[in-house]
Coordinates of all heavy atoms in Angstrom, one line a residue:
G1 N 45.6 -70.7 -8.7 CA 45.1 -69.4 -9.0 C 46.2 -68.5 -9.7 O 46.0 -67.8 -10.6
G2 N 47.4 -68.6 -9.1 CA 48.5 -67.8 -9.6 C 48.9 -68.2 -11.0 O 49.3 -67.4 -11.8
W3 N 48.9 -69.6 -11.2 CA 49.4 -70.1 -12.5 C 48.4 -69.7 -13.6 O 48.8 -69.4 -14.8 CB 49.5 -71.6 -12.5 CG 50.7 -72.0 -11.7 CD1 50.7 -72.6 -10.5 CD2 52.1 -71.8 -12.1 NE1 52.0 -72.8 -10.1 CE2 52.9 -72.4 -11.0 CE3 52.7 -71.3 -13.2 CZ2 54.3 -72.4 -11.1 CZ3 54.1 -71.3 -13.2 CH2 54.9 -71.8 -12.2
V4 N 47.1 -69.6 -13.3 CA 46.1 -69.1 -14.3 C 46.4 -67.7 -14.7 O 46.3 -67.3 -15.8 CB 44.7 -69.3 -13.7 CG1 43.7 -68.7 -14.7 CG2 44.4 -70.8 -13.5
L5 N 46.7 -66.9 -13.7 CA 47.0 -65.5 -13.9 C 48.2 -65.3 -14.8 O 48.3 -64.5 -15.7 CB 47.1 -64.7 -12.6 CG 47.3 -63.2 -12.7 CD1 46.1 -62.5 -13.4 CD2 47.5 -62.6 -11.3
I6 N 49.2 -66.1 -14.5 CA 50.5 -66.1 -15.3 C 50.2 -66.5 -16.7 O 50.7 -65.9 -17.6 CB 51.5 -67.0 -14.6 CG1 52.0 -66.3 -13.3 CG2 52.7 -67.2 -15.6 CD1 52.9 -67.2 -12.5
G7 N 49.3 -67.5 -16.9 CA 49.0 -67.9 -18.2 C 48.2 -66.9 -19.0 O 48.5 -66.7 -20.2
I8 N 47.4 -66.1 -18.3 CA 46.6 -65.1 -19.0 C 47.6 -63.9 -19.4 O 47.5 -63.4 -20.5 CB 45.5 -64.5 -18.1 CG1 44.4 -65.6 -17.9 CG2 44.9 -63.2 -18.6 CD1 43.4 -65.3 -16.9
V9 N 48.5 -63.6 -18.5 CA 49.5 -62.5 -18.9 C 50.4 -63.0 -20.0 O 50.6 -62.2 -21.0 CB 50.3 -62.2 -17.6 CG1 51.5 -61.3 -18.0 CG2 49.5 -61.5 -16.6
C10 N 50.8 -64.2 -20.0 CA 51.6 -64.7 -21.1 C 50.9 -64.7 -22.4 O 51.4 -64.3 -23.5 CB 52.1 -66.1 -20.8 SG 53.3 -66.2 -19.5
A11 N 49.6 -65.1 -22.4 CA 48.8 -65.1 -23.6 C 48.6 -63.7 -24.1 O 48.6 -63.4 -25.4 CB 47.5 -65.8 -23.4
S12 N 48.4 -62.8 -23.2 CA 48.2 -61.4 -23.6 C 49.5 -60.8 -24.2 O 49.4 -60.1 -25.3 CB 47.8 -60.5 -22.4 OG 46.7 -61.0 -21.8
M13 N 50.6 -61.1 -23.7 CA 51.9 -60.6 -24.2 C 52.2 -61.2 -25.6 O 52.7 -60.6 -26.5 CB 53.0 -60.9 -23.2 CG 53.0 -60.0 -22.0 SD 54.3 -60.3 -20.9 CE 55.7 -59.8 -21.8
S14 N 51.9 -62.5 -25.7 CA 52.1 -63.2 -27.0 C 51.2 -62.6 -28.1 O 51.7 -62.3 -29.2 CB 51.7 -64.7 -26.9 OG 51.8 -65.3 -28.1
T15 N 50.0 -62.3 -27.8 CA 49.1 -61.6 -28.7 C 49.6 -60.2 -29.1 O 49.6 -59.9 -30.3 CB 47.7 -61.5 -28.2 OG1 47.2 -62.9 -27.9 CG2 46.7 -60.9 -29.2
G16 N 50.0 -59.5 -28.1 CA 50.5 -58.1 -28.4 C 51.8 -58.1 -29.2 O 51.9 -57.4 -30.1
D17 N 52.7 -59.1 -28.9 CA 53.9 -59.2 -29.7 C 53.7 -59.5 -31.1 O 54.3 -59.0 -32.0 CB 54.9 -60.2 -29.1 CG 55.4 -59.8 -27.7 OD1 55.3 -58.6 -27.4 OD2 55.9 -60.7 -27.0
G18 N 52.8 -60.5 -31.3 CA 52.4 -60.9 -32.7 C 51.8 -59.7 -33.5 O 52.1 -59.6 -34.7
A19 N 50.9 -59.0 -32.8 CA 50.3 -57.8 -33.5 C 51.3 -56.8 -33.9 O 51.3 -56.2 -35.0 CB 49.2 -57.2 -32.6
I20 N 52.3 -56.5 -33.0 CA 53.3 -55.5 -33.3 C 54.2 -56.0 -34.4 O 54.5 -55.2 -35.3 CB 54.1 -55.2 -32.0 CG1 53.2 -54.4 -31.0 CG2 55.4 -54.4 -32.3 CD1 53.9 -54.2 -29.7
L21 N 54.6 -57.2 -34.4 CA 55.4 -57.8 -35.5 C 54.7 -57.8 -36.8 O 55.3 -57.5 -37.9 CB 55.9 -59.2 -35.1 CG 57.0 -59.2 -34.0 CD1 57.2 -60.7 -33.7 CD2 58.3 -58.5 -34.5
A22 N 53.4 -58.1 -36.8 CA 52.6 -58.1 -38.0 C 52.5 -56.7 -38.6 O 52.6 -56.5 -39.8 CB 51.3 -58.7 -37.7
M23 N 52.2 -55.7 -37.7 CA 52.1 -54.3 -38.2 C 53.4 -53.9 -38.8 O 53.4 -53.2 -39.9 CB 51.7 -53.4 -37.1 CG 50.2 -53.6 -36.7 SD 49.6 -52.4 -35.6 CE 50.6 -52.7 -34.1
S24 N 54.5 -54.2 -38.2 CA 55.8 -53.8 -38.7 C 56.1 -54.4 -40.1 O 56.6 -53.8 -41.0 CB 56.9 -54.1 -37.8 OG 56.7 -53.5 -36.5
T25 N 55.8 -55.7 -40.2 CA 56.1 -56.4 -41.4 C 55.2 -55.9 -42.6 O 55.7 -55.7 -43.7 CB 55.9 -57.9 -41.2 OG1 56.7 -58.4 -40.2 CG2 56.2 -58.7 -42.5
V26 N 53.9 -55.7 -42.3 CA 53.0 -55.3 -43.3 C 53.4 -53.8 -43.7 O 53.4 -53.5 -44.9 CB 51.6 -55.3 -42.8 CG1 50.6 -54.5 -43.7 CG2 51.1 -56.7 -42.7
F27 N 53.8 -53.0 -42.8 CA 54.1 -51.6 -43.1 C 55.3 -51.6 -44.0 O 55.4 -50.9 -45.0 CB 54.4 -50.8 -41.8 CG 54.7 -49.4 -42.0 CD1 53.8 -48.5 -42.4 CD2 56.1 -49.0 -41.9 CE1 54.1 -47.1 -42.6 CE2 56.4 -47.7 -42.1 CZ 55.4 -46.7 -42.4
S28 N 56.4 -52.4 -43.7 CA 57.6 -52.3 -44.5 C 57.5 -53.0 -45.8 O 57.8 -52.5 -46.8 CB 58.7 -53.0 -43.7 OG 59.0 -52.3 -42.5
H29 N 57.0 -54.3 -45.8 CA 57.0 -55.1 -47.0 C 55.8 -54.7 -48.0 O 56.0 -54.8 -49.2 CB 56.9 -56.5 -46.7 CG 58.1 -57.1 -46.1 ND1 59.1 -57.7 -46.8 CD2 58.6 -57.0 -44.8 CE1 60.1 -58.1 -46.1 NE2 59.9 -57.6 -44.8
N30 N 54.7 -54.3 -47.4 CA 53.5 -54.0 -48.3 C 53.4 -52.6 -48.7 O 52.8 -52.3 -49.7 CB 52.2 -54.5 -47.7 CG 52.2 -56.0 -47.6 OD1 53.1 -56.7 -48.1 ND2 51.2 -56.5 -46.9
L31 N 53.9 -51.7 -47.8 CA 53.7 -50.3 -48.1 C 55.0 -49.6 -48.6 O 55.1 -49.0 -49.6 CB 53.2 -49.5 -46.9 CG 51.8 -49.9 -46.4 CD1 51.4 -49.2 -45.2 CD2 50.8 -49.6 -47.5
L32 N 56.1 -49.8 -47.8 CA 57.3 -49.1 -48.1 C 58.0 -49.6 -49.4 O 58.6 -48.9 -50.1 CB 58.3 -49.1 -46.9 CG 57.9 -48.3 -45.7 CD1 58.9 -48.5 -44.6 CD2 57.6 -46.9 -46.0
R33 N 57.9 -50.9 -49.6 CA 58.5 -51.5 -50.8 C 57.9 -51.0 -52.1 O 58.6 -51.0 -53.1 CB 58.4 -53.1 -50.7 CG 59.2 -53.8 -51.8 CD 59.2 -55.2 -51.6 NE 60.2 -55.6 -50.7 CZ 61.0 -56.6 -50.8 NH1 60.9 -57.3 -51.8 NH2 61.9 -56.8 -49.9
K34 N 56.7 -50.6 -52.0 CA 56.0 -50.1 -53.2 C 56.4 -48.6 -53.5 O 56.1 -48.1 -54.6 CB 54.5 -50.2 -53.1 CG 54.1 -51.6 -53.0 CD 52.6 -51.7 -53.0 CE 52.1 -53.1 -52.6 NZ 52.4 -54.2 -53.5
L35 N 57.1 -48.0 -52.6 CA 57.5 -46.6 -52.9 C 58.7 -46.6 -53.9 O 59.5 -47.5 -53.9 CB 58.0 -45.9 -51.6 CG 56.9 -45.7 -50.5 CD1 57.5 -45.1 -49.3 CD2 55.8 -44.8 -51.1
P36 N 58.8 -45.5 -54.7 CA 59.8 -45.5 -55.7 C 61.2 -45.1 -55.2 O 62.0 -44.3 -55.8 CB 59.3 -44.4 -56.7 CG 58.5 -43.5 -55.8 CD 57.9 -44.4 -54.8
F37 N 61.6 -45.6 -54.0 CA 62.9 -45.3 -53.5 C 63.8 -46.6 -53.6 O 63.3 -47.6 -53.2 CB 62.9 -44.8 -52.0 CG 62.1 -43.6 -51.8 CD1 60.9 -43.5 -51.2 CD2 62.6 -42.4 -52.3 CE1 60.2 -42.4 -51.0 CE2 61.9 -41.2 -52.2 CZ 60.7 -41.2 -51.5
E38 N 65.0 -46.4 -54.1 CA 65.9 -47.6 -54.2 C 66.2 -48.2 -52.9 O 66.5 -49.4 -52.8 CB 67.2 -47.1 -54.9 CG 68.1 -48.3 -55.3 CD 67.5 -49.1 -56.4 OE1 66.7 -48.6 -57.2 OE2 67.8 -50.3 -56.4
Y39 N 66.2 -47.4 -51.8 CA 66.6 -47.9 -50.5 C 65.7 -49.0 -50.0 O 66.1 -50.0 -49.4 CB 66.6 -46.7 -49.5 CG 67.0 -47.1 -48.1 CD1 68.3 -47.2 -47.7 CD2 66.0 -47.4 -47.1 CE1 68.7 -47.6 -46.5 CE2 66.4 -47.7 -45.8 CZ 67.7 -47.9 -45.5 OH 68.1 -48.2 -44.2
F40 N 64.4 -48.9 -50.3 CA 63.4 -49.9 -49.8 C 63.3 -51.1 -50.7 O 62.6 -52.0 -50.4 CB 62.0 -49.2 -49.7 CG 62.0 -48.2 -48.6 CD1 61.5 -46.9 -49.0 CD2 62.4 -48.4 -47.4 CE1 61.4 -45.9 -48.0 CE2 62.3 -47.4 -46.4 CZ 61.9 -46.2 -46.7
Q41 N 64.1 -51.1 -51.8 CA 64.0 -52.3 -52.7 C 65.0 -53.4 -52.3 O 64.8 -54.5 -52.7 CB 64.3 -51.8 -54.2 CG 63.4 -50.7 -54.7 CD 61.9 -51.0 -54.5 OE1 61.5 -52.1 -54.7 NE2 61.1 -50.1 -54.0
E42 N 66.0 -53.1 -51.5 CA 67.0 -54.1 -51.1 C 66.5 -54.7 -49.8 O 66.0 -54.1 -48.9 CB 68.3 -53.4 -50.8 CG 68.9 -52.8 -52.1 CD 70.3 -52.2 -51.8 OE1 70.9 -52.6 -50.8 OE2 70.7 -51.3 -52.6
D43 N 66.6 -56.0 -49.7 CA 66.1 -56.8 -48.6 C 66.8 -56.4 -47.3 O 66.2 -56.4 -46.2 CB 66.3 -58.3 -48.8 CG 65.3 -58.8 -49.9 OD1 64.3 -58.2 -50.0 OD2 65.6 -59.9 -50.5
K44 N 68.1 -56.1 -47.4 CA 68.9 -55.8 -46.1 C 68.3 -54.5 -45.5 O 68.1 -54.4 -44.3 CB 70.4 -55.6 -46.5 CG 71.2 -55.2 -45.3 CD 72.7 -55.1 -45.8 CE 73.5 -54.5 -44.7 NZ 74.9 -54.3 -45.1
N45 N 68.1 -53.5 -46.4 CA 67.6 -52.2 -45.9 C 66.1 -52.3 -45.4 O 65.7 -51.7 -44.4 CB 67.6 -51.2 -47.0 CG 69.0 -50.9 -47.4 OD1 70.0 -51.0 -46.6 ND2 69.2 -50.4 -48.6
L46 N 65.4 -53.2 -46.1 CA 64.0 -53.4 -45.7 C 63.9 -54.1 -44.3 O 63.0 -53.8 -43.5 CB 63.2 -54.2 -46.7 CG 61.7 -54.1 -46.7 CD1 61.3 -52.7 -47.0 CD2 61.1 -55.0 -47.8
L47 N 64.8 -55.0 -44.1 CA 64.9 -55.7 -42.8 C 65.2 -54.7 -41.7 O 64.6 -54.7 -40.6 CB 65.9 -56.8 -42.8 CG 66.1 -57.6 -41.5 CD1 64.8 -58.2 -41.0 CD2 67.2 -58.5 -41.6
F48 N 66.2 -53.8 -41.9 CA 66.5 -52.8 -40.9 C 65.3 -51.9 -40.7 O 65.0 -51.5 -39.5 CB 67.7 -52.0 -41.4 CG 68.1 -50.9 -40.5 CD1 68.8 -51.2 -39.3 CD2 67.9 -49.6 -40.8 CE1 69.1 -50.2 -38.4 CE2 68.3 -48.6 -39.9 CZ 68.9 -48.9 -38.8
T49 N 64.6 -51.5 -41.7 CA 63.4 -50.6 -41.6 C 62.3 -51.3 -40.8 O 61.7 -50.7 -40.0 CB 62.9 -50.2 -43.0 OG1 64.0 -49.6 -43.7 CG2 61.8 -49.2 -42.9
T50 N 62.2 -52.6 -41.1 CA 61.2 -53.4 -40.3 C 61.5 -53.4 -38.8 O 60.6 -53.2 -38.0 CB 61.1 -54.8 -40.9 OG1 60.8 -54.8 -42.2 CG2 60.0 -55.6 -40.1
R51 N 62.8 -53.5 -38.5 CA 63.2 -53.5 -37.1 C 62.9 -52.2 -36.4 O 62.5 -52.1 -35.3 CB 64.6 -53.9 -37.0 CG 64.8 -55.4 -37.3 CD 66.3 -55.8 -37.3 NE 66.4 -57.2 -37.5 CZ 67.6 -57.8 -37.8 NH1 68.7 -57.1 -37.8 NH2 67.6 -59.1 -38.0
L52 N 63.2 -51.1 -37.2 CA 62.9 -49.8 -36.7 C 61.4 -49.5 -36.5 O 61.0 -48.9 -35.5 CB 63.5 -48.7 -37.6 CG 65.0 -48.5 -37.5 CD1 65.5 -47.4 -38.5 CD2 65.5 -48.2 -36.1
T53 N 60.6 -50.0 -37.4 CA 59.2 -49.7 -37.3 C 58.6 -50.6 -36.2 O 57.5 -50.2 -35.6 CB 58.4 -50.0 -38.6 OG1 58.7 -51.3 -39.1 CG2 58.8 -49.0 -39.7
T54 N 59.3 -51.7 -35.8 CA 58.8 -52.5 -34.6 C 58.9 -51.6 -33.4 O 58.0 -51.6 -32.5 CB 59.7 -53.7 -34.5 OG1 59.5 -54.5 -35.7 CG2 59.2 -54.5 -33.3
I55 N 60.0 -50.8 -33.3 CA 60.1 -49.9 -32.1 C 59.0 -48.8 -32.2 O 58.4 -48.5 -31.1 CB 61.5 -49.3 -32.1 CG1 62.6 -50.4 -31.9 CG2 61.6 -48.2 -31.0 CD1 64.0 -49.9 -32.1
L56 N 58.7 -48.3 -33.4 CA 57.7 -47.3 -33.5 C 56.3 -47.9 -33.1 O 55.6 -47.2 -32.3 CB 57.6 -46.9 -35.0 CG 56.4 -46.0 -35.3 CD1 56.6 -44.6 -34.8 CD2 56.2 -46.0 -36.8
W57 N 55.9 -49.1 -33.6 CA 54.6 -49.6 -33.3 C 54.5 -50.0 -31.8 O 53.5 -50.0 -31.2 CB 54.3 -50.8 -34.2 CG 54.0 -50.4 -35.6 CD1 54.7 -50.8 -36.7 CD2 53.0 -49.5 -36.1 NE1 54.2 -50.2 -37.8 CE2 53.2 -49.4 -37.5 CE3 52.0 -48.8 -35.5 CZ2 52.3 -48.6 -38.2 CZ3 51.2 -48.0 -36.2 CH2 51.4 -47.9 -37.6
A58 N 55.7 -50.4 -31.2 CA 55.7 -50.8 -29.8 C 55.4 -49.5 -29.0 O 54.7 -49.5 -28.0 CB 57.0 -51.4 -29.4
A59 N 56.0 -48.4 -29.4 CA 55.7 -47.1 -28.7 C 54.3 -46.7 -28.8 O 53.7 -46.2 -27.9 CB 56.7 -46.0 -29.2
V60 N 53.7 -46.9 -30.0 CA 52.3 -46.5 -30.2 C 51.4 -47.4 -29.4 O 50.5 -46.9 -28.7 CB 51.9 -46.6 -31.7 CG1 50.5 -46.6 -32.0 CG2 52.7 -45.6 -32.5
A61 N 51.7 -48.7 -29.3 CA 50.9 -49.6 -28.5 C 51.0 -49.2 -27.0 O 50.0 -49.3 -26.3 CB 51.3 -51.0 -28.8
S62 N 52.2 -48.9 -26.6 CA 52.4 -48.5 -25.2 C 51.6 -47.2 -24.9 O 51.0 -47.1 -23.8 CB 53.9 -48.3 -24.9 OG 54.6 -49.5 -25.1
A63 N 51.6 -46.3 -25.8 CA 50.9 -45.0 -25.6 C 49.4 -45.3 -25.5 O 48.7 -44.7 -24.6 CB 51.2 -44.0 -26.7
I64 N 48.9 -46.1 -26.3 CA 47.5 -46.4 -26.3 C 47.1 -47.1 -25.0 O 46.1 -46.8 -24.3 CB 47.1 -47.3 -27.5 CG1 47.1 -46.5 -28.8 CG2 45.6 -47.9 -27.3 CD1 47.0 -47.3 -30.0
A65 N 47.9 -48.1 -24.6 CA 47.6 -48.8 -23.4 C 47.7 -48.0 -22.1 O 47.0 -48.1 -21.2 CB 48.6 -50.0 -23.2
S66 N 48.7 -47.0 -22.1 CA 48.8 -46.2 -20.9 C 47.9 -45.0 -20.9 O 47.6 -44.5 -19.8 CB 50.3 -45.7 -20.8 OG 50.6 -44.9 -21.9
S67 N 47.4 -44.6 -22.1 CA 46.5 -43.4 -22.1 C 45.1 -43.8 -21.7 O 44.3 -42.9 -21.2 CB 46.5 -42.8 -23.5 OG 45.9 -43.6 -24.4
A68 N 44.7 -45.0 -21.9 CA 43.3 -45.4 -21.6 C 43.4 -46.8 -20.9 O 43.0 -47.8 -21.5 CB 42.5 -45.5 -22.8
P69 N 43.9 -46.9 -19.7 CA 44.0 -48.2 -19.0 C 42.7 -48.9 -18.8 O 42.7 -50.1 -18.7 CB 44.8 -47.9 -17.7 CG 44.5 -46.5 -17.5 CD 44.3 -45.8 -18.8
D70 N 41.6 -48.2 -18.7 CA 40.3 -48.8 -18.4 C 39.8 -49.5 -19.7 O 39.0 -50.4 -19.5 CB 39.3 -47.8 -17.9 CG 39.7 -47.2 -16.5 OD1 40.5 -47.9 -15.8 OD2 39.3 -46.1 -16.2
T71 N 40.1 -48.9 -20.8 CA 39.5 -49.5 -22.0 C 40.4 -50.4 -22.8 O 40.0 -51.0 -23.7 CB 39.0 -48.3 -23.0 OG1 40.2 -47.5 -23.3 CG2 38.0 -47.5 -22.3
S72 N 41.7 -50.4 -22.5 CA 42.7 -51.2 -23.2 C 42.4 -52.7 -23.0 O 42.8 -53.5 -23.9 CB 44.1 -50.9 -22.9 OG 44.3 -51.1 -21.5
G73 N 41.7 -53.1 -22.0 CA 41.3 -54.5 -21.8 C 40.3 -54.9 -22.8 O 40.3 -56.1 -23.2
Y74 N 39.5 -54.0 -23.2 CA 38.5 -54.4 -24.3 C 39.2 -54.7 -25.6 O 38.8 -55.5 -26.4 CB 37.5 -53.2 -24.5 CG 36.7 -53.0 -23.3 CD1 36.7 -51.7 -22.7 CD2 35.8 -53.9 -22.8 CE1 35.9 -51.5 -21.6 CE2 35.0 -53.7 -21.7 CZ 35.1 -52.5 -21.1 OH 34.3 -52.2 -20.0
L75 N 40.3 -53.9 -25.9 CA 41.1 -54.2 -27.1 C 41.7 -55.5 -27.1 O 41.9 -56.2 -28.1 CB 42.2 -53.1 -27.3 CG 41.7 -51.7 -27.4 CD1 42.8 -50.7 -27.5 CD2 40.8 -51.5 -28.7
L76 N 42.1 -56.0 -25.9 CA 42.7 -57.3 -25.7 C 41.7 -58.4 -26.0 O 41.9 -59.4 -26.7 CB 43.3 -57.5 -24.3 CG 43.9 -58.8 -24.0 CD1 45.1 -59.0 -24.9 CD2 44.3 -58.9 -22.6
I77 N 40.4 -58.2 -25.6 CA 39.4 -59.1 -25.8 C 39.1 -59.2 -27.3 O 38.9 -60.3 -27.9 CB 38.1 -58.8 -25.0 CG1 38.4 -58.9 -23.5 CG2 36.9 -59.6 -25.5 CD1 37.3 -58.4 -22.7
V78 N 39.1 -58.1 -28.0 CA 38.9 -58.0 -29.4 C 40.0 -58.8 -30.2 O 39.8 -59.5 -31.2 CB 38.7 -56.6 -29.9 CG1 38.7 -56.5 -31.4 CG2 37.5 -56.0 -29.4
A79 N 41.2 -58.6 -29.7 CA 42.4 -59.3 -30.3 C 42.3 -60.8 -30.2 O 42.8 -61.5 -31.1 CB 43.7 -58.8 -29.6
F80 N 41.6 -61.4 -29.2 CA 41.5 -62.8 -29.1 C 40.4 -63.3 -29.9 O 40.3 -64.5 -30.1 CB 41.3 -63.2 -27.6 CG 42.5 -63.3 -26.8 CD1 42.7 -62.4 -25.7 CD2 43.6 -64.1 -27.1 CE1 43.9 -62.5 -25.0 CE2 44.7 -64.2 -26.4 CZ 44.9 -63.4 -25.3
D81 N 39.5 -62.5 -30.4 CA 38.4 -63.0 -31.3 C 38.8 -63.3 -32.7 O 39.6 -63.0 -33.3 CB 37.2 -62.0 -31.3 CG 36.4 -62.0 -30.0 OD1 36.6 -63.0 -29.3 OD2 35.7 -61.1 -29.7

């Protein structure tokens, strides 16, 4: 019983981590790189920005999960589909 619960928690965390990393990468590489700023054209700066936006998206995900704990489980089910 306990191992099944641990497996579910691990799968949930893996899905959440992947979603946060995907949002950060898409935001930096697909949106910020297209802006006419020289800073976002260099790979080193874009990597740093991606790491910072990972913190931003993690905070947003934490806020969503803590503001509606009853409904955030539904979001997890949608993520697995």
Side-chain angles (χ1 to χ4, degrees):
W3 288 107
V4 173
L5 184 60
I6 290 172
I8 292 171
V9 170
C10 290
S12 302
M13 289 181 65
S14 174
T15 301
D17 291 346
I20 290 170
L21 289 173
M23 287 188 296
S24 300
T25 303
V26 167
F27 181 75
S28 297
H29 288 263
N30 293 354
L31 296 176
L32 294 180
R33 186 172 277 225
K34 296 185 190 301
L35 294 177
F37 297 111
E38 190 67 31
Y39 181 81
F40 295 127
Q41 304 308 317
E42 296 181 24
D43 288 336
K44 180 181 174 183
N45 296 336
L46 200 61
L47 177 63
F48 180 71
T49 306
T50 302
R51 290 177 177 167
L52 284 180
T53 56
T54 301
I55 297 169
L56 169 77
W57 291 118
V60 169
S62 297
I64 291 171
S66 64
S67 68
D70 294 338
T71 59
S72 60
Y74 297 119
L75 298 175
L76 181 63
I77 292 170
V78 171
F80 279 118
D81 282 344

